[in-house]
Amino acid sequence: ALKKKIVVLGAGYGGLMTVTRLQKQLKAQEAEIILINKHHYHYETTWLHEVSAGTLEPERVRYDIKRVLNRNKVTFIEGEVQVIKKDEHKVILDQGEITYDYLVVALGSNSETFGIEGLKDYGLAITDVNAARRIREHIEQQFAMYTKEQNEKYVTIVVGGAGFTGIEFLGELTNQIPNLCEKYNIPQESIRIICVEAGSVFLPQFDRELADYALSYLEHKGVQFYLGTMVQKALKDGVIIGKKNGEEEPYKIEAGTLIWSAGVRGNSVIVNSGFEHIRGRVEVNLDLTVPGYPNIFMIGDCSYIINKENNRPYPPTAQIAMQQGVTCARNLVKLVKGQADLEDFVFDDKGTVCSLGEDNAIGVVYGKKLKGTTASVMKKVVDDRALFLIGGTSLVLKKGKFKFFS
Ligand code: FAD
Ligand code: NAD
């Protein structure tokens, strides 16, 4: 029989997990495997808040994709996917097109703007390495402007959305503020950090004791939280915010920086390719294929599965994306070998750890509550585990959070 062609789109957590498993489970003569990603490198999306705040250098959170590929089995193409022609079994790239027998879509997410005016122009979302680098540079430029013009707006930073991304960023940022103030010779009292959150409860899905711990820690570090308040408009020099219940007139906060961390939607390629979706995410079958398209798998942030316990989609996380990569690879191996009994994906929820900066965190891991240093160490374990699962020990030694040799 002719060799089957498997094309994987996206080299994030889901895509790289799929490919590194496939290359272990298939012989070179059994299938042609092609991985397509818009950069030659993989970045740790889960570390991007650290780059954005200036704690980690951009190159620290990324590595060359070829490093983890078996080149006898996988061909890597650096290219940007434009659209998937799902009925013609082909993918259109910025340069050229490619056909497939089996397709894995693991293109991740885009920032969700909810159509709010001005966000596309003035909101800074933590989406990839380049965006994270721009955030860090933007904040520094603003601090530099303050030294020239002394206008407080330059040292006012608004964070829209207190989900895990917003919280993790605030943890890093508040740790960096003393360094930035020192560098630009600005008194720390001049800095304003405001987090605007639509929900009236702080981290509602989280354990109360831990959520309260995080809230008071960040407040102590200088963050003002406006709960039950929405960002309604972004401007060049500030944001318009208002109470969610309309109790007071919306008003403007003058600010040089707006970090937008109010949630994500599936990659725009999904919508552009005409898949049935909710906020850019496709509800996939339990075997991770797209309904009506048995040769297309969709995993990670651009897909969803309903959690039967609460009838809501599982939240998009690296944890679930990586687990889906494992199932997806196994199902592809079955298809290549002509077996029809695809396995269902079952999420094994190991818990969540939310960083509050370098040395603090909160988390629930295997049902156990953690906070402070213990949680912070656990967060580094989780970060290194992701490296290990994709690139083994050598990648952990090169990129890991624990310094083994220093
Ligand atoms: P990604 O890992 O984002 O990978 C998508 C890949 O597709 C990227 O390599 C991208 O370059 C590529 N791509 C995108 N568009 C195109 C295109 N058009 N053409 C070609 N290539 C393209 N989750 C956790 O479980 N734990 C955490 O601690 C955690 N922390 C987070 C912290 C932050 C700051 C953020 C932003 C998210 C965090 N998440 C965390 C969520 C997690 O990062 C995502 O759920 C996860 O990255 C999804 O994996 P994915 O494979 O779907 O997409
Ligand atoms: P999120 O959807 O979890 O949180 C977004 C927050 O923004 C919500 O609290 C929402 O109420 C608020 N919001 C929405 N519109 C608003 C508006 N107009 N004004 C003010 N607030 C508004 O999004 P996220 O934090 O980007 O996380 C995305 C996914 O990544 C989630 O599944 C999350 O679990 C995952 N993640 C996990 C970790 C971790 O495990 N440590 C870290 C970061 C992200």
Side-chain angles (χ1 to χ4, degrees):
L2 268 178
K3 251 209 285 198
K4 293 289 186 199
K5 190 164 161 191
I6 302 173
V7 174
V8 179
L9 308 180
Y13 294 102
L16 264 194
M17 198 66 187
T18 305
V19 168
T20 51
R21 290 293 164 125
L22 276 179
Q23 69 187 9
K24 283 189 192 133
Q25 292 165 19
L26 285 174
K27 297 193 186 75
Q29 65 271 25
E30 284 177 306
E32 184 183 357
I33 305 169
I34 294 165
L35 173 63
I36 299 172
N37 194 64
K38 69 174 161 187
H39 310 109
H40 67 84
Y41 55 82
H42 161 92
Y43 51 82
E44 299 298 316
T45 307
T46 63
W47 304 8
L48 289 177
H49 57 288
E50 296 169 77
V51 178
S52 306
T55 318
L56 291 181
E57 296 301 320
E59 55 278 14
R60 180 73 179 71
V61 306
R62 66 177 198 210
Y63 57 83
D64 208 302
I65 289 163
K66 288 194 177 141
R67 204 193 144 83
V68 297
L69 299 182
N70 178 336
R71 286 177 223 185
N72 297 324
K73 295 184 181 176
V74 183
T75 306
F76 175 69
I77 297 175
E78 184 175 343
E80 184 162 353
V81 177
Q82 309 290 318
V83 71
I84 299 160
K85 300 269 186 194
K86 52 191 185 317
D87 298 309
E88 296 160 44
H89 296 201
K90 71 182 184 198
V91 177
I92 312 297
L93 306 177
D94 48 351
Q95 289 178 12
E97 56 181 58
I98 190 159
T99 58
Y100 58 83
D101 294 305
Y102 300 111
L103 184 70
V104 179
V105 186
L107 291 169
S109 59
N110 294 151
S111 165
E112 173 69 282
T113 60
F114 304 103
I116 296 170
E117 211 184 313
L119 271 183
K120 282 213 171 77
D121 293 326
Y122 307 119
L124 302 170
I126 305 172
T127 51
D128 60 21
V129 180
N130 291 328
R133 185 202 288 107
R134 280 196 297 273
I135 289 174
R136 158 205 188 131
E137 287 170 358
H138 176 90
I139 292 172
E140 288 222 22
Q141 276 161 10
Q142 296 295 308
F143 276 54
M145 282 302 289
Y146 179 82
T147 60
K148 268 205 227 157
E149 294 183 19
Q150 311 287 313
N151 185 331
E152 301 234 319
K153 76 175 178 199
Y154 293 120
V155 286
T156 302
I157 299 170
V158 175
V159 174
F164 285 137
T165 301
I167 301 298
E168 290 199 326
F169 174 74
L170 286 165
E172 293 298 326
L173 178 69
T174 50
N175 280 351
Q176 284 304 318
I177 289 297
N179 303 334
L180 286 170
C181 286
E182 167 100 24
K183 182 167 174 186
Y184 292 95
N185 193 24
I186 300 172
Q188 272 195 52
E189 309 79 72
S190 312
I191 312 298
R192 277 181 86 197
I193 302 174
I194 295 166
C195 179
V196 179
E197 163 57 46
S200 48
V201 179
F202 184 75
L203 289 182
Q205 287 94 334
F206 225 60
D207 174 85
R208 273 310 84 199
E209 180 201 338
L210 296 177
D212 289 344
Y213 172 84
L215 181 63
S216 56
Y217 174 75
L218 290 172
E219 280 179 340
H220 173 75
K221 298 277 271 185
V223 182
Q224 287 171 272
F225 285 93
Y226 294 5
L227 299 179
T229 307
M230 288 184 78
V231 168
Q232 298 184 349
K233 194 173 177 177
L235 309 164
K236 191 173 189 318
D237 60 348
V239 287
I240 308 284
I241 68 167
K243 278 279 182 204
K244 210 179 169 190
N245 56 18
E247 241 168 34
E248 61 185 25
E249 280 293 302
Y251 63 96
K252 177 175 172 184
I253 302 177
E254 302 235 341
T257 304
L258 169 62
I259 305 297
W260 188 242
S261 52
V264 294
R265 53 182 289 119
N267 192 302
S268 58
V269 168
I270 305 304
V271 179
N272 297 342
S273 305
F275 287 101
E276 217 174 285
H277 69 97
I278 294 179
R279 288 174 60 186
R281 302 174 75 194
V282 174
E283 179 171 5
V284 288
N285 297 320
L286 285 179
D287 61 12
L288 305 176
T289 57
V290 174
Y293 295 88
N295 61 338
I296 304 183
F297 291 83
M298 221 177 262
I299 60 175
D301 282 8
C302 55
S303 68
Y304 71 92
I305 286 181
I306 297 289
N307 176 359
K308 291 212 178 65
E309 278 169 30
N310 59 11
N311 228 2
R312 292 160 63 121
Y314 285 112
T317 63
Q319 184 181 178
I320 201 166
M322 294 182 84
Q323 291 183 20
Q324 288 175 332
V326 175
T327 304
C328 179
R330 280 207 287 258
N331 281 343
L332 281 164
V333 169
K334 287 190 176 213
L335 287 171
V336 166
K337 296 189 186 233
Q339 299 159 358
D341 57 328
L342 297 195
E343 83 181 58
D344 283 349
F345 173 73
V346 181
F347 180 42
D348 173 18
D349 189 352
K350 299 190 188 326
T352 307
V353 189
C354 177
S355 162
L356 299 172
E358 168 74 38
D359 48 5
N360 203 354
I362 52 170
V364 179
V365 178
Y366 294 115
K368 197 169 179 295
K369 286 197 256 179
L370 305 171
K371 59 176 189 271
T373 316
T374 326
S376 173
V377 170
M378 183 53 80
K379 179 78 172 111
K380 295 185 175 73
V381 171
V382 174
D383 287 349
D384 280 8
R385 189 178 131 81
L387 293 173
F388 178 75
L389 288 173
I390 286 171
T393 313
S394 75
L395 190 61
V396 178
L397 290 175
K398 188 166 163 63
K399 290 287 177 182
K401 290 271 173 87
F402 293 108
K403 302 282 174 297
F404 294 96
F405 299 120
S406 57

